[in-house]
Amino acid sequence: MQQEVIIVGGGMVGLSLALMLAKSNIAVKLLEAIQYPNYDDANLAPYHSSFDARNSALSRRSVQIYQELGLWDALQEHATPILEVQITEQGSFGKARLLAEQEKVESFGQVIENAWLGRVLLTEVRKQPLIELIDGVQVTSLKQDTDFAYIEAVRGQEQLQLAAKLLIAADGRDSFCRKALGIGASEHDYDQVAIVTTVQTSKPHAHVGFERFSHLGPLALLPLPGEYRRSVVWPVPKGTEHEWMGDENDQHFLNALQQAYGDRAGKFEKTGRRFSFPLSQVLAEKQAVGRVVLMGNAAHTIHPVAGQGFNLCMRDAYVLLRYLTEQAAQSADLGDAAMLRDYEQSRLKDQQRVIKFCDSVVRGFSNQNPILKFMRNTGLVAFDTIPGIKPLVANYAMGLKA
């Protein structure tokens, strides 16, 4: 008898994992709180709460996973490769460059708008006979015993009661499932808000990604499809974001961006609508309890600096898939608690390394002490000149040494 898995949360991680499982002949019920859009226009990807204005810098490992799923051709149409990375600090001498050609790789990764990534994933999910998609549903109860995990949910006037050997909670930073299980979480508020938008510059992006540590916060400028389009992710102190939001502040925002970046990208000519997202680190105390495993932001929400969050989640999902396919091949219990704990332990080293790195970068570059600033920039110069460091860092950033 074919075992079935319940996934609560149909964002990018939930959809990706559902496809991994279905293509490995494991049936899935996928529950999502928001009703998914119907895509009538082939050339549009409207924003949805799960696939919003943000962009994802897919590491080479994430690209490989989507290639294995047979999705990369569809995603590649909306993605742009990163062939060079430049790291600088505003008003300082340090600079580091990573070149794909020097590291002998096709690219460091690919940038794709979440709206398009979500559209491609959702379109594929809707084609899969082994995935039952239940959207517009609110989970109200999660319980488990030695044999099953049980879900109660509401969709309109309809009451749903579901059970499965394994439940995967991918329901976001404020996960209902995590709280229902009594799993605690540590939270650190960075007191920052990420301003996210798309801009047009006078110079072509030439597939260069910039990480610029400005006085306000770490500013990422990444290439997008279209020679002059770039994505902006700019964490700024909480409360200051309001002066840059709204159409009437377009030029004010462009001026601030120009001041922070200088002329490396040429003139910032146009900006799209700005969106803002509060930034915090949320780490679940446990990721596997009984027949339930936490995935995505429900397990670990991290700062977007260096673009590692989604890629870390994809590696989690891929490793969990390996454990589950081994269980399925032996007709063993997919929700076996010991197996899920083994999965959790297998992921801790990679998770802790990425979480510590991102947190250290944010805290380290937030301090404007002149001595620390000098040390940071000396470190950037050393990184750029000492042999052997770049390949190691590049492999980690690409997710190839996890």
Side-chain angles (χ1 to χ4, degrees):
M1 179 179 175
Q2 188 174 52
Q3 296 189 62
E4 186 175 66
V5 172
I6 294 174
I7 299 178
V8 178
M12 298 188 304
V13 175
L15 289 169
S16 297
L17 181 53
L19 287 169
M20 293 181 200
L21 293 169
K23 288 177 183 276
S24 297
N25 203 36
I26 296 173
V28 178
K29 275 190 170 67
L30 179 61
L31 280 61
E32 165 59 24
I34 307 300
Q35 189 166 0
Y36 286 117
N38 287 315
Y39 296 115
D40 299 323
D41 190 329
N43 299 312
L44 292 177
Y47 293 149
H48 172 261
S49 62
S50 295
F51 337 123
D52 51 37
R54 287 172 283 192
N55 302 274
S56 292
L58 302 178
S59 69
R60 282 181 58 78
R61 186 71 191 100
S62 295
V63 170
Q64 289 171 357
I65 292 171
Y66 284 126
Q67 286 173 335
E68 289 182 30
L69 288 172
L71 289 178
W72 186 243
D73 286 347
L75 291 171
Q76 178 71 82
E77 294 179 26
H78 310 288
T80 303
I82 301 174
L83 303 182
E84 180 179 339
V85 177
Q86 294 188 16
I87 308 167
T88 59
E89 182 170 8
Q90 185 180 2
S92 299
F93 61 88
K95 178 179 179 181
R97 294 174 71 204
L98 282 167
L99 297 170
E101 186 178 16
Q102 288 183 359
E103 302 308 321
K104 297 180 174 56
V105 293
E106 171 266 330
S107 72
F108 291 119
Q110 303 265 348
V111 185
I112 186 168
E113 293 167 270
N114 285 4
W116 277 112
L117 176 56
R119 173 169 178 155
V120 171
L121 293 174
L122 181 57
T123 300
E124 185 65 18
V125 161
R126 284 172 165 160
K127 296 177 184 176
Q128 293 296 322
L130 286 179
I131 301 176
E132 182 182 352
L133 195 59
I134 309 172
D135 60 353
V137 61
Q138 195 68 42
V139 175
T140 57
S141 172
L142 165 58
K143 297 177 182 178
Q144 59 178 327
D145 58 25
T146 55
D147 297 315
F148 290 95
Y150 303 93
I151 283 284
E152 292 182 4
V154 177
R155 182 169 61 175
Q157 301 300 313
E158 185 183 6
Q159 302 285 329
L160 301 176
Q161 293 184 328
L162 305 172
K165 289 288 188 181
L166 171 65
L167 186 137
I168 298 169
D171 52 341
R173 182 181 69 177
D174 301 317
S175 170
F176 170 87
C177 294
R178 187 181 68 221
K179 295 171 184 176
L181 290 170
I183 300 175
S186 63
E187 182 166 356
H188 171 72
D189 189 339
Y190 286 106
D191 206 30
Q192 291 180 330
V193 172
I195 297 176
V196 176
T197 191
T198 299
V199 297
Q200 181 176 308
T201 58
S202 62
K203 288 183 180 178
H205 56 63
H207 300 284
V208 178
F210 291 96
E211 187 77 50
R212 175 79 160 168
F213 292 94
S214 75
H215 300 317
L216 292 172
L219 174 55
L221 193 68
L222 299 175
L224 287 174
E227 197 175 358
Y228 299 92
R229 292 179 68 238
R230 306 177 193 238
S231 107
V232 173
V233 181
W234 194 0
V236 299
K238 190 179 294 182
T240 66
E241 74 275 10
H242 305 298
E243 65 177 291
W244 294 304
M245 310 303 283
D247 295 344
E248 70 279 7
N249 291 318
D250 282 6
Q251 193 57 51
H252 181 49
F253 175 72
L254 289 170
N255 292 343
L257 204 53
Q258 195 78 60
Q259 184 178 5
Y261 249 95
D263 63 357
R264 291 168 183 79
K267 180 178 174 57
F268 289 89
E269 298 179 332
K270 293 181 182 178
T271 176
R273 180 184 172 193
R274 269 83 65 209
F275 298 83
S276 62
F277 303 90
L279 299 179
S280 61
Q281 180 189 86
V282 182
L283 307 176
E285 292 174 359
K286 295 180 181 179
Q287 296 176 46
V289 175
R291 296 184 166 278
V292 180
V293 62
L294 304 183
M295 189 64 52
N297 285 343
H300 41 70
T301 301
I302 64 177
H303 197 282
V305 68
Q308 291 298 303
F310 180 64
N311 295 303
L312 179 62
C313 295
M314 286 294 286
R315 296 200 294 275
D316 289 343
Y318 193 80
V319 172
L320 179 61
L321 173 71
R322 189 177 71 226
Y323 276 83
L324 295 180
T325 51
E326 288 176 0
Q327 289 288 101
Q330 300 169 27
S331 299
D333 186 355
L334 295 184
D336 180 75
M339 178 271 294
L340 294 177
R341 286 195 300 271
D342 286 346
Y343 153 76
E344 179 183 18
Q345 288 298 313
S346 75
R347 293 301 301 142
L348 290 180
K349 182 178 179 181
D350 185 24
Q351 291 173 359
Q352 290 168 357
R353 175 183 56 78
V354 171
I355 291 164
K356 182 178 180 181
F357 170 75
C358 293
D359 187 59
S360 298
V361 169
V362 175
R363 293 174 189 265
F365 277 88
S366 296
N367 194 319
Q368 295 301 310
N369 179 292
I371 296 176
L372 287 176
K373 199 168 184 178
F374 177 81
M375 292 174 64
R376 285 197 300 264
N377 282 270
T378 301
L380 284 176
V381 172
F383 172 81
D384 204 46
T385 55
I386 297 176
I389 295 180
K390 286 185 181 180
L392 181 65
V393 173
N395 280 330
Y396 273 120
M398 291 185 288
L400 301 179
K401 291 293 184 181

